PDB file of all heavy atoms in Angstrom:
ATOM      1  N   MET A 133       2.794   0.093   4.947  1.00 98.00           N
ATOM      2  CA  MET A 133       2.452  -1.317   5.104  1.00 98.00           C
ATOM      3  C   MET A 133       3.669  -2.137   4.698  1.00 98.00           C
ATOM      4  O   MET A 133       4.300  -1.849   3.677  1.00 98.00           O
ATOM      5  CB  MET A 133       1.263  -1.685   4.227  1.00 98.00           C
ATOM      6  CG  MET A 133       0.857  -3.130   4.344  1.00 98.00           C
ATOM      7  SD  MET A 133      -0.597  -3.468   3.342  1.00 98.00           S
ATOM      8  CE  MET A 133      -0.561  -5.247   3.380  1.00 98.00           C
ATOM      9  N   VAL A 134       4.007  -3.148   5.501  1.00 98.00           N
ATOM     10  CA  VAL A 134       5.193  -3.972   5.252  1.00 98.00           C
ATOM     11  C   VAL A 134       4.798  -5.449   5.298  1.00 98.00           C
ATOM     12  O   VAL A 134       4.043  -5.861   6.174  1.00 98.00           O
ATOM     13  CB  VAL A 134       6.291  -3.711   6.309  1.00 98.00           C
ATOM     14  CG1 VAL A 134       7.541  -4.523   6.004  1.00 98.00           C
ATOM     15  CG2 VAL A 134       6.605  -2.234   6.413  1.00 98.00           C
ATOM     16  N   SER A 135       5.337  -6.209   4.355  1.00 98.00           N
ATOM     17  CA  SER A 135       5.158  -7.657   4.351  1.00 98.00           C
ATOM     18  C   SER A 135       6.527  -8.291   4.143  1.00 98.00           C
ATOM     19  O   SER A 135       7.285  -7.870   3.268  1.00 98.00           O
ATOM     20  CB  SER A 135       4.209  -8.080   3.220  1.00 98.00           C
ATOM     21  OG  SER A 135       4.160  -9.488   3.119  1.00 98.00           O
ATOM     22  N   ILE A 136       6.846  -9.290   4.960  1.00 98.00           N
ATOM     23  CA  ILE A 136       8.136  -9.984   4.846  1.00 98.00           C
ATOM     24  C   ILE A 136       7.892 -11.424   4.445  1.00 98.00           C
ATOM     25  O   ILE A 136       7.104 -12.133   5.067  1.00 98.00           O
ATOM     26  CB  ILE A 136       8.915  -9.924   6.182  1.00 98.00           C
ATOM     27  CG1 ILE A 136       9.191  -8.468   6.566  1.00 98.00           C
ATOM     28  CG2 ILE A 136      10.213 -10.728   6.076  1.00 98.00           C
ATOM     29  CD1 ILE A 136       9.855  -8.293   7.919  1.00 98.00           C
ATOM     30  N   VAL A 137       8.586 -11.855   3.396  1.00 98.00           N
ATOM     31  CA  VAL A 137       8.550 -13.237   2.939  1.00 98.00           C
ATOM     32  C   VAL A 137       9.946 -13.816   3.149  1.00 98.00           C
ATOM     33  O   VAL A 137      10.948 -13.202   2.766  1.00 98.00           O
ATOM     34  CB  VAL A 137       8.159 -13.326   1.442  1.00 98.00           C
ATOM     35  CG1 VAL A 137       8.224 -14.755   0.946  1.00 98.00           C
ATOM     36  CG2 VAL A 137       6.780 -12.726   1.219  1.00 98.00           C
ATOM     37  N   THR A 138      10.015 -14.992   3.770  1.00 97.00           N
ATOM     38  CA  THR A 138      11.292 -15.605   4.113  1.00 97.00           C
ATOM     39  C   THR A 138      11.641 -16.716   3.117  1.00 97.00           C
ATOM     40  O   THR A 138      10.772 -17.460   2.686  1.00 97.00           O
ATOM     41  CB  THR A 138      11.214 -16.191   5.534  1.00 97.00           C
ATOM     42  OG1 THR A 138      10.868 -15.132   6.439  1.00 97.00           O
ATOM     43  CG2 THR A 138      12.518 -16.806   5.961  1.00 97.00           C
ATOM     44  N   ASN A 139      12.928 -16.784   2.782  1.00 96.00           N
ATOM     45  CA  ASN A 139      13.411 -17.882   1.961  1.00 96.00           C
ATOM     46  C   ASN A 139      14.772 -18.320   2.483  1.00 96.00           C
ATOM     47  O   ASN A 139      15.242 -17.830   3.502  1.00 96.00           O
ATOM     48  CB  ASN A 139      13.417 -17.490   0.483  1.00 96.00           C
ATOM     49  CG  ASN A 139      14.339 -16.337   0.175  1.00 96.00           C
ATOM     50  OD1 ASN A 139      15.193 -15.965   0.957  1.00 96.00           O
ATOM     51  ND2 ASN A 139      14.161 -15.746  -0.988  1.00 96.00           N
ATOM     52  N   GLY A 140      15.438 -19.238   1.766  1.00 95.00           N
ATOM     53  CA  GLY A 140      16.690 -19.794   2.260  1.00 95.00           C
ATOM     54  C   GLY A 140      17.870 -19.569   1.331  1.00 95.00           C
ATOM     55  O   GLY A 140      17.754 -18.911   0.288  1.00 95.00           O
ATOM     56  N   ASP A 141      19.004 -20.140   1.702  1.00 95.00           N
ATOM     57  CA  ASP A 141      20.249 -19.932   0.967  1.00 95.00           C
ATOM     58  C   ASP A 141      20.160 -20.321  -0.498  1.00 95.00           C
ATOM     59  O   ASP A 141      20.725 -19.651  -1.364  1.00 95.00           O
ATOM     60  CB  ASP A 141      21.385 -20.731   1.626  1.00 95.00           C
ATOM     61  CG  ASP A 141      21.813 -20.166   2.961  1.00 95.00           C
ATOM     62  OD1 ASP A 141      21.399 -19.033   3.300  1.00 95.00           O
ATOM     63  OD2 ASP A 141      22.559 -20.852   3.682  1.00 95.00           O
ATOM     64  N   ALA A 142      19.473 -21.405  -0.806  1.00 96.00           N
ATOM     65  CA  ALA A 142      19.392 -21.893  -2.185  1.00 96.00           C
ATOM     66  C   ALA A 142      18.511 -21.016  -3.064  1.00 96.00           C
ATOM     67  O   ALA A 142      18.494 -21.183  -4.286  1.00 96.00           O
ATOM     68  CB  ALA A 142      18.872 -23.330  -2.204  1.00 96.00           C
ATOM     69  N   ASP A 143      17.811 -20.063  -2.469  1.00 96.00           N
ATOM     70  CA  ASP A 143      16.860 -19.227  -3.209  1.00 96.00           C
ATOM     71  C   ASP A 143      17.480 -17.941  -3.742  1.00 96.00           C
ATOM     72  O   ASP A 143      16.768 -17.098  -4.273  1.00 96.00           O
ATOM     73  CB  ASP A 143      15.665 -18.893  -2.309  1.00 96.00           C
ATOM     74  CG  ASP A 143      14.939 -20.140  -1.863  1.00 96.00           C
ATOM     75  OD1 ASP A 143      14.641 -20.987  -2.725  1.00 96.00           O
ATOM     76  OD2 ASP A 143      14.682 -20.278  -0.652  1.00 96.00           O
ATOM     77  N   TRP A 144      18.807 -17.782  -3.621  1.00 95.00           N
ATOM     78  CA  TRP A 144      19.460 -16.542  -4.038  1.00 95.00           C
ATOM     79  C   TRP A 144      20.610 -16.818  -5.000  1.00 95.00           C
ATOM     80  O   TRP A 144      21.461 -17.668  -4.743  1.00 95.00           O
ATOM     81  CB  TRP A 144      20.032 -15.803  -2.821  1.00 95.00           C
ATOM     82  CG  TRP A 144      18.975 -15.282  -1.917  1.00 95.00           C
ATOM     83  CD1 TRP A 144      18.482 -15.896  -0.805  1.00 95.00           C
ATOM     84  CD2 TRP A 144      18.263 -14.052  -2.048  1.00 95.00           C
ATOM     85  NE1 TRP A 144      17.507 -15.118  -0.226  1.00 95.00           N
ATOM     86  CE2 TRP A 144      17.351 -13.981  -0.977  1.00 95.00           C
ATOM     87  CE3 TRP A 144      18.316 -13.006  -2.955  1.00 95.00           C
ATOM     88  CZ2 TRP A 144      16.497 -12.908  -0.784  1.00 95.00           C
ATOM     89  CZ3 TRP A 144      17.463 -11.928  -2.782  1.00 95.00           C
ATOM     90  CH2 TRP A 144      16.566 -11.891  -1.708  1.00 95.00           C
ATOM     91  N   SER A 145      20.625 -16.063  -6.089  1.00 96.00           N
ATOM     92  CA  SER A 145      21.778 -15.953  -6.961  1.00 96.00           C
ATOM     93  C   SER A 145      21.969 -14.471  -7.234  1.00 96.00           C
ATOM     94  O   SER A 145      21.053 -13.803  -7.712  1.00 96.00           O
ATOM     95  CB  SER A 145      21.574 -16.694  -8.292  1.00 96.00           C
ATOM     96  OG  SER A 145      22.646 -16.411  -9.177  1.00 96.00           O
ATOM     97  N   PHE A 146      23.140 -13.953  -6.932  1.00 94.00           N
ATOM     98  CA  PHE A 146      23.408 -12.527  -7.119  1.00 94.00           C
ATOM     99  C   PHE A 146      24.059 -12.253  -8.472  1.00 94.00           C
ATOM    100  O   PHE A 146      24.457 -11.136  -8.758  1.00 94.00           O
ATOM    101  CB  PHE A 146      24.280 -12.008  -5.971  1.00 94.00           C
ATOM    102  CG  PHE A 146      23.552 -12.061  -4.654  1.00 94.00           C
ATOM    103  CD1 PHE A 146      23.640 -13.176  -3.854  1.00 94.00           C
ATOM    104  CD2 PHE A 146      22.744 -11.008  -4.255  1.00 94.00           C
ATOM    105  CE1 PHE A 146      22.954 -13.244  -2.648  1.00 94.00           C
ATOM    106  CE2 PHE A 146      22.044 -11.069  -3.054  1.00 94.00           C
ATOM    107  CZ  PHE A 146      22.149 -12.195  -2.264  1.00 94.00           C
TER     108      PHE A 146
END
Side-chain angles (χ1 to χ4, degrees):
M133 180 177 167
V134 182
S135 173
I136 300 175
V137 176
T138 302
N139 62 16
D141 289 348
D143 299 311
W144 293 95
S145 172
F146 294 91

